[in-house]
């Protein structure tokens, strides 16, 4: 593929499980001509398999655990769609994926409104002022009142809402949607099953619609749309791009309502790749020289090759296949022979790529999450977080002759960001730390499938972990020596303090004001 001069839109879809993210992804890819048949992303029934579902655990649980990246073209625009894990537990992978996008789509189930997971992901977007388009899905089913949903978004997210596609009835009365921006009625086909045609008119009040929609349903929709126009903000692209307003589309991914409006909105209004924060200077996408950072590493994507792919977001310049890039952390130059891009159903070698694109760099463990690549400049992209784990377990190995494989599994999966691994300063058994309990299941399952190691977990008396930092090396040495049994080292040999309770942590912090106890650190 070679389309380095086309504009880019790099965005993620975020949602709570079951809100309809997979279905919407599929419809977007269909709209972009990247796939030709609905069902290619995740086939229905007991053979649920998404493009990113290469893990058995995903199939068992029917959830998407790993994130994937898909590139397609729509209306001359190259869209890079990044999937985020939507399960209830949370991994750092999700946060990091959001560092690589310029905007996000939030999918909400019309019957449920904002759920815990969406709220958490949303907070991350707010932190970074990532502009969000909200897609309220499943309006073909009985859902909550549109006003209630809009008010909830407005309040929970502290964000102005601007409805841009309005539902005409919901559930049994559902009769299509109205695109308020395009002034077009999205009418169902004869069976009423799918969005079939767009009827242009002068607004929802246009008499042209009278014979097409049941009288009562239309009257209510007209009244509500008018009320909504008075009660909520008008869509202002600038305010949306600054991250303070979310346009809201009421639609149905399954029946294709609102999907075209969504992709048209992304194409017309979503932000282009912007400047990327780095030390010692911010990088502009218009610079000539290539720069990028790695936000994700995935091991064993291709079971036959046992390879790893590092996902790099291009931040500036025009990347070309075969070019030499400096890995700033190691100072080594790396020739990128076979960079890959991920199409809907395939991966393919990419000849060139532009800012906003995600390029996969196959490697054997030399590239890490957080790595910056440049054409020689000493730069470091910032803002890629690591979070203190909330669950800590000691790893026990069933068959001790497999110790080497265990080390490999832990190192690889820590590299991917699935888990964090700590070495005690006393004793030899590894400790793993995760943000959500599901990650422990994923670790055990992948260790078994990919490394043939059976592992079990032992509880630890610790509940909290904090990185330690102190300007005074002597104070640090004194503290770590005194607390030796509660000190572990992370993969970079940085000291981490394990506390038995929040109370203990607070107590230690109070008693040792010269030491900082950090909940997050940057890679
Ligand atoms: P997820 O990736 O966010 O977890 O959600 P997914 O797309 O898998 O959708 C979850 C369920 O909701 C699926 O039904 C899907 O068919 C349904 N769904 C998605 N969008 C709509 C919509 O606009 N309207 C209606 N009525 N349903 C929708 P399922 O029965 O769990 O799975 P399946 O057997 O249909 O695959």
């Amino acid at each position: 593929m070679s389309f380095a001069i086309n504009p880019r839109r790099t965005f993620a879809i975020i949602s709570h499980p079951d809100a309809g993210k997979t279905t919407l992804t599929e419809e977007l890819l269909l709209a972009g001509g990247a796939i030709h048949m609905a069902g290619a992303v995740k086939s229905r029934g007991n053979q649920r398999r998404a493009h990113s579902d290469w893990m058995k655990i995903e199939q068992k649980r029917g959830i998407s655990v790993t994130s994937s990246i898909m590139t397609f073209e729509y209306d001359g625009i190259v869209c890079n769609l990044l999937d985020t894990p939507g399960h209830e537990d949370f991994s750092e992978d999700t946060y990091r994926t959001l560092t690589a996008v310029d905007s996000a789509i939030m999918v909400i189930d019309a019957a449920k409104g904002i759920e815990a997971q969406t709220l958490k992901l949303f907070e991350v977007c707010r932190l970074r002022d990532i502009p969000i388009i909200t897609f309220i899905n499943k309006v073909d089913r009985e859902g909550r009142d549109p006003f209630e949903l809009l008010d909830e978004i407005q309040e929970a997210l502290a964000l102005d809402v601007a409805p841009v596609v309005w539902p005409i009835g919901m559930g049994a009365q559902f009769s299509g949607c109205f695109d308020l921006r395009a002034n077009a009625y999205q009418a169902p086909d004869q069976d009423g099953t799918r969005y079939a045609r767009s009827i242009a008119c002068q607004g929802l009040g246009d008499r042209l619609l009278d014979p097409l929609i049941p009288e009562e349903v239309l009257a209510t929709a007209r009244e509500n749309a008018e009320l909504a126009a008075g009660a909520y903000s008008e869509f202002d692209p600038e305010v949306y791009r600054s991250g303070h307003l979310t346009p809201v589309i009421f639609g149905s991914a399954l029946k294709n309502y609102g999907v075209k409006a969504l992709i048209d909105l992304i194409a017309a209004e979503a932000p282009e790749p912007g400047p990327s924060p780095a030390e010692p200077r911010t990088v502009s996408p218009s610079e000539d020289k290539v720069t990028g950072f790695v936000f994700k590493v995935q091991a064993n994507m291709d079971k036959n090759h046992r390879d790893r792919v590092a996902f790099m977001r291009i931040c500036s310049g025009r990347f070309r296949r075969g070019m030499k890039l400096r890995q700033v952390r190691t100072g080594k130059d790396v020739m990128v022979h076979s960079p890959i891009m991920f199409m809907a159903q395939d991966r393919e070698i990419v000849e060139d790529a532009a800012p906003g694109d995600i390029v996969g760099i196959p490697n054997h463990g030399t590239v890490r999450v957080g790595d910056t690549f440049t054409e020689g400049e000493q730069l470091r992209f910032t803002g890629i977080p690591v979070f203190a784990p909330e669950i800590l377990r000691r790893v026990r190995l069933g068959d001790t002759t497999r110790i080497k494989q265990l080390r490999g599994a832990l190192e690889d999966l820590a590299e991917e960001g699935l888990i964090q691994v700590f070495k005690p300063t006393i004793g030899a058994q590894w400790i793993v730390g995760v943000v959500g309990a599901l990650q422990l299941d994923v670790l055990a399952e992948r260790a078994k499938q990919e490394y043939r190691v059976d592992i079990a977990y032992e509880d630890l008396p610790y509940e909290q972990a904090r990185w330690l930092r102190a300007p005074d090396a002597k104070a640090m040495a004194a503290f770590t020596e005194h607390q030796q049994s509660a000190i572990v080292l992370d993969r970079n040999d940085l000291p981490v303090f394990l506390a038995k309770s929040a109370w203990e942590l607070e107590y230690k912090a109070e008693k040792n004001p010269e030491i900082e106890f950090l909940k997050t650190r940057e890679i």
Side-chain angles (χ1 to χ4, degrees), residues 57-74:
I57 188 164
E58 293 194 43
Q59 287 160 38
K60 256 197 245 164
R61 297 196 180 219
I63 49 173
S64 201
V65 178
T66 41
S67 40
S68 65
I69 290 148
M70 289 179 240
T71 298
F72 61 96
E73 210 178 319
Y74 179 78

Side-chain angles (χ1 to χ4, degrees), residues 13-26 42-46 48 50 62-64 83 86 107 109 135-142 251-257:
I13 302 193
I14 59 183
S15 77
H16 195 86
D18 264 351
K21 190 173 57 154
T22 311
T23 314
L24 185 62
T25 303
E26 204 172 309
K42 190 199 270 179
S43 55
R44 305 287 173 213
N46 41 7
R48 290 175 76 105
I63 49 173
S64 201
D83 186 17
V107 187
D109 185 326
F135 191 92
I136 300 186
N137 193 28
K138 307 192 189 181
V139 295
D140 57 310
R141 278 197 197 160
E142 291 305 334
S252 163
L254 192 67
K255 300 188 171 174
N256 199 28
Y257 287 92

